[in-house]
């Protein structure tokens, strides 16, 4: 399938693995089997910075990380402490001759404070600017930002999403893949002054969901195909849905 056949498949893991009692909305705790099934389906990397990261407090954050580590599932977005973040982030993916840095941020955690010393990457331009500088120092072919942003059930990006996308592109980040609204929002193919194309996908909707609100019945996969030119920079980024 599209997931297992991809060189790298990345998903937003919008729940916690905090053991029983398993709970759904509004504070999530899923069985460990959910992560195992994601792995069996072919997902390779999990994003953990989203508005439900703190649903089960310190245990939810730390046990989710522990389970991903125990299954050899790479992840980014939340961390046990600052030392772990410094060691693991920005996330460098090396595959098929490419060096790709992955970034992941969330607008918030549903008003639940992030328990110390845990860290959940916030959408904060001061922090993000430092991270992007660190990412560039890794000499990557591409820097991909996964953004948890916007307003739920809104089929068009709000002004803050557009402003943040513009800012990320100005910083040299591309492509940009978004989530949180649980509905599909537009995809833009931006072209810069050099004629290079940059994908901005504002929201892919939900991959697995039982929501009943309007427009939540669909989700989308974005397949990115990266190519290098003779100067070893990524010269083209094609996508398919």
């Amino acid at each position: 399938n599209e997931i297992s056949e991809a060189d790298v498949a990345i998903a937003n893991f919008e729940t916690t693995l905090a053991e029983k009692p398993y709970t759904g909305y509004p504070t999530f705790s899923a069985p460990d089997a959910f992560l195992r099934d994601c792995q069996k389906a072919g997902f390779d990397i999990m994003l953990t910075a989203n508005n439900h990261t703190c649903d089960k407090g310190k245990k939810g954050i730390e046990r989710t990380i522990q389970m991903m580590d125990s299954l050899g599932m790479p992840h980014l977005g939340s961390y046990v402490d600052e030392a772990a973040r410094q060691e693991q982030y920005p996330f460098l993916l090396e595959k098929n001759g490419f060096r790709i840095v992955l970034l992941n941020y969330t607008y918030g955690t549903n008003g639940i404070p992030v328990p110390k010393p845990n860290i959940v990457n916030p959408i904060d331009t001061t922090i993000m600017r430092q991270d992007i500088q660190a990412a560039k120092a890794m000499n990557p072919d591409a820097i991909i930002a996964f953004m948890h942003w916007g307003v739920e059930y809104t089929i068009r990006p709000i002004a803050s999403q557009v402003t943040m996308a513009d800012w990320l592109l100005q910083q040299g980040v591309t492509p940009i893949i978004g989530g949180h609204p649980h509905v599909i929002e537009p995809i833009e193919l931006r072209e810069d002054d050099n004629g290079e194309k940059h994908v901005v996908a504002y929201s892919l909707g939900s991959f697995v969901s039982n929501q009943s609100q309007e427009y939540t019945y669909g989700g989308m996969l974005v397949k990115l195909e990266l190519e290098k030119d003779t100067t070893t920079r990524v010269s083209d980024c094609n996508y398919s849905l």
Side-chain angles (χ1 to χ4, degrees):
N1 60 37
E2 289 285 343
I3 301 167
S4 59
E5 290 175 2
D7 293 318
V8 180
I10 303 170
N12 171 43
F13 193 77
E14 198 161 349
T15 185
T16 70
L17 302 174
E19 297 185 296
K20 294 181 179 180
Y22 303 132
T23 54
Y25 183 83
T27 54
F28 298 131
S29 179
D32 296 344
F34 180 59
L35 178 62
R36 295 191 185 97
D37 288 344
C38 288
Q39 195 171 42
K40 290 176 184 175
F43 287 109
D44 301 298
I45 298 173
M46 288 294 172
L47 310 171
T48 60
N50 56 67
N51 58 307
H52 289 284
T53 305
C54 296
D55 279 5
K56 297 296 180 179
K58 195 169 189 287
K59 179 181 179 180
I61 293 171
E62 295 187 358
R63 193 174 182 281
T64 301
I65 291 171
Q66 176 189 353
M67 285 304 302
M68 290 183 178
D69 288 343
S70 71
L71 293 179
M73 172 67 78
H75 54 88
L76 65 146
S78 60
Y79 302 90
V80 172
D81 54 27
E82 180 61 34
R85 187 182 191 274
Q86 290 286 342
E87 181 182 348
Q88 301 167 25
Y89 194 80
F91 185 103
L92 177 63
L93 169 65
E94 295 184 276
K95 187 80 173 182
N96 297 348
F98 284 90
R99 291 173 61 85
I100 301 171
V101 173
L102 308 180
L103 303 174
N104 180 213
Y105 302 94
T106 181
Y107 74 92
T109 52
N110 288 346
I112 303 173
V114 180
K116 295 181 179 180
N118 301 160
I119 294 174
V120 180
N121 287 346
I123 295 179
D124 179 317
T125 53
T126 300
I127 294 171
M128 293 163 67
R129 185 178 286 108
Q130 295 174 346
D131 294 340
I132 294 167
Q133 290 174 350
K136 289 179 176 178
M138 296 177 172
N139 192 31
D141 297 300
I143 302 174
I144 305 177
F146 296 92
M147 308 299 293
H148 207 77
W149 59 5
V151 174
E152 290 180 313
Y153 320 123
T154 303
I155 61 173
R156 298 212 168 269
I158 61 173
S160 63
Q161 287 169 273
V162 177
T163 301
M164 179 55 62
D166 291 342
W167 183 84
L168 287 166
L169 292 172
Q170 290 166 6
Q171 303 298 312
V173 175
T174 178
I176 301 165
I177 310 294
H180 174 61
H182 297 294
V183 295
I184 294 172
E185 292 182 346
I187 289 183
E188 298 175 354
L189 195 58
R190 305 277 193 96
E191 188 167 323
D192 63 22
D193 295 338
N194 298 320
E196 294 185 356
K197 297 176 181 177
H198 306 294
V199 174
V200 179
Y202 284 104
S203 173
L204 302 186
S206 298
F207 186 72
V208 176
S209 170
N210 64 351
Q211 293 174 306
S212 57
Q213 289 89 339
E214 192 175 16
Y215 305 120
T216 60
Y217 48 77
M220 183 166 56
L221 298 172
V222 170
K223 180 180 179 182
L224 297 167
E225 297 182 1
L226 303 181
E227 299 176 1
K228 287 188 181 185
D229 63 18
T230 54
T231 62
T232 73
R233 290 177 59 90
V234 173
S235 61
D236 196 10
C237 185
N238 303 315
Y239 75 93
S240 60
L241 310 182

